[in-house]
């Protein structure tokens, strides 16, 4: 089983990131459905954001905006 899993992972790593993401979500969903039936959960489905979560998303958003709008360009409205 381990050898088969290693081969599958090697093949998945060769795919574009978008396809890797789809496969990862599919696997997580399948695992969650399997474990949920046993009363176990992988993903915390709470609808609250901690202060750390908010800081992380803010930081990511600012980094992303900086990568799209380098300092050499002016932003006009």
């Amino acid at each position: 089983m381990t050898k088969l899993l290693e081969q599958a992972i090697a093949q998945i790593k060769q795919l574009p990131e978008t396809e890797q993401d789809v496969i990862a979500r599919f696997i997580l969903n399948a695992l969650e459905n399997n474990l949920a039936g046993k009363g176990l959960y992988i993903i915390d489905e709470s609808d609250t954001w901690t202060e750390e979560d908010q800081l992380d998303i803010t930081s990511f958003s600012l980094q992303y905006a900086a990568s799209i709008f380098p300092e050499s360009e002016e932003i006009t409205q």
Side-chain angles (χ1 to χ4, degrees):
M1 179 78 171
T2 303
K3 189 73 165 177
L4 180 60
L5 182 57
E6 289 173 359
Q7 290 172 349
I9 291 170
Q11 289 180 352
I12 291 169
K13 285 183 178 181
Q14 295 175 8
L15 298 172
E17 286 186 24
T18 53
E19 291 183 32
Q20 290 180 28
D21 185 49
V22 169
I23 292 170
R25 289 174 188 270
F26 177 78
I27 291 169
L28 285 173
N29 190 29
L31 288 172
E32 182 179 356
N33 289 339
N34 186 36
L35 295 176
K38 298 175 184 176
L40 302 172
Y41 296 92
I42 295 175
I43 300 171
D44 179 10
E45 296 182 4
S46 69
D47 59 357
T48 59
W49 287 54
T50 66
E51 186 174 342
E52 184 179 358
D53 293 336
Q54 294 173 20
L55 290 172
D56 287 345
I57 193 68
T58 302
S59 175
F60 174 79
S61 297
L62 291 172
Q63 289 174 8
Y64 179 71
S67 72
I68 291 178
F69 303 107
E71 291 182 29
S72 62
E73 296 181 12
E74 291 186 30
I75 300 174
T76 59
Q77 292 186 4

